[in-house]
Amino acid sequence: MTGPHPIRVLVVDDHSVVRRGVVAYLEALADVEVADEAADGQEALDRLARASAHGELPDVVLMDLQMPGMDGVTATAEVLRRWPQLKVVILTSFGETERVHAALEGGASGYLLKDAGPAEVDAALRAAVRDEVFLDAAVTRRLTQELRAPRTGLGVLTAREKEVLILVAEGRSNKDIAEHLVISERTARTHVSHLLAKIGLTSRTQAALLAVKEGLVQPR
């Protein structure tokens, strides 16, 4: 390990072959450590509860969506209800856009295709830990086509909030936004939560998708 604090990851997937593949990817990355594995949502919750009791929670949960028993959508919402400091990144196959939307509504930080390369996995984990948004361009195009319109349009946002929305969609953290707009990080955080509340969304990732759909930014 080259960094002082490796990103610790819990990998949740019911297919052991897929899970082993993801674990192998992660183990090959610098500054990333596989904290544990789970085969379904309930096992993930049990393992997190055990880790929490020992003060050893991971930083990120890589969550498959389609699993027997408790699926990834339910598990994501429950993980973030119990441990709001955790980040959940969805592992998805291309056809699961409806489930991805539901997971984002439950608070997931981003999503990755199961056939993503090590560099993309690395980027998604680092973005989640920094409270940034990582959008896979191919999935983003698909998701934005199916994005349910928020309760209110972007017209309700002030010029400054719209500017903040674009920066969120570009994957900037609150710290980056603060530096870019020459405001405090606390003010940047307030702007982000206000604009999410105004347009009726629950996560930065949903806001970024909306910005792509409305043509404010291009998917990366």
Side-chain angles (χ1 to χ4, degrees):
M1 299 289 170
T2 54
H5 300 295
I7 298 172
R8 301 182 71 250
V9 183
L10 167 66
V11 180
V12 188
D13 196 302
D14 63 311
H15 291 107
S16 57
V17 174
V18 174
R19 201 168 66 244
R20 289 307 317 158
V22 173
V23 167
Y25 265 3
L26 296 177
E27 287 174 342
L29 297 173
D31 301 333
V32 174
E33 193 178 279
V34 177
D36 211 342
E37 301 175 37
D40 60 45
Q42 187 57 57
E43 189 184 353
L45 292 173
D46 294 345
R47 288 179 181 272
L48 287 170
R50 216 155 37 232
S52 180
H54 293 102
E56 294 174 354
L57 276 174
D59 303 296
V60 181
V61 179
L62 265 182
M63 181 77 76
D64 184 24
L65 289 180
Q66 205 165 352
M67 297 181 288
M70 186 187 292
D71 70 1
V73 173
T74 309
T76 294
E78 187 58 23
V79 164
L80 294 170
R81 188 185 71 76
R82 293 196 203 176
W83 302 284
Q85 73 274 33
L86 289 184
K87 304 293 181 186
V88 177
V89 173
I90 298 304
L91 271 175
T92 177
S93 51
F94 201 69
E96 294 182 319
T97 46
E98 201 171 298
R99 275 198 174 93
V100 176
H101 278 303
L104 293 177
E105 282 169 13
S109 294
Y111 45 82
L112 271 172
L113 277 174
K114 285 188 181 177
D115 60 0
E120 286 171 290
V121 175
D122 193 34
L125 293 176
R126 291 179 197 289
V129 167
R130 290 193 302 259
D131 204 20
E132 297 171 5
V133 169
F134 177 88
L135 304 177
D136 177 286
V139 187
T140 297
R141 275 191 288 274
R142 187 78 174 267
L143 283 170
T144 51
Q145 286 162 13
E146 299 173 18
L147 186 66
R148 288 194 291 278
R151 289 194 299 269
T152 47
L154 296 184
V156 298
L157 299 180
T158 63
R160 173 47 61 96
E161 285 166 344
K162 206 171 276 190
E163 202 176 351
V164 171
L165 174 61
I166 290 167
L167 293 169
V168 166
E170 287 173 353
R172 311 281 192 110
S173 64
N174 288 337
K175 188 168 181 285
D176 289 340
I177 292 169
E179 285 171 6
H180 185 84
L181 298 177
V182 199
I183 55 178
S184 73
E185 194 172 336
R186 189 174 177 179
T187 303
R189 196 178 302 118
T190 302
H191 278 318
V192 172
S193 54
H194 278 175
L195 79 85
L196 287 176
K198 264 189 178 181
I199 53 182
L201 299 176
T202 53
S203 75
R204 296 167 79 99
T205 315
Q206 286 179 305
L209 283 171
L210 183 64
V212 172
K213 185 179 175 69
E214 297 292 333
L216 296 178
V217 291
Q218 291 297 310
R220 286 178 289 169

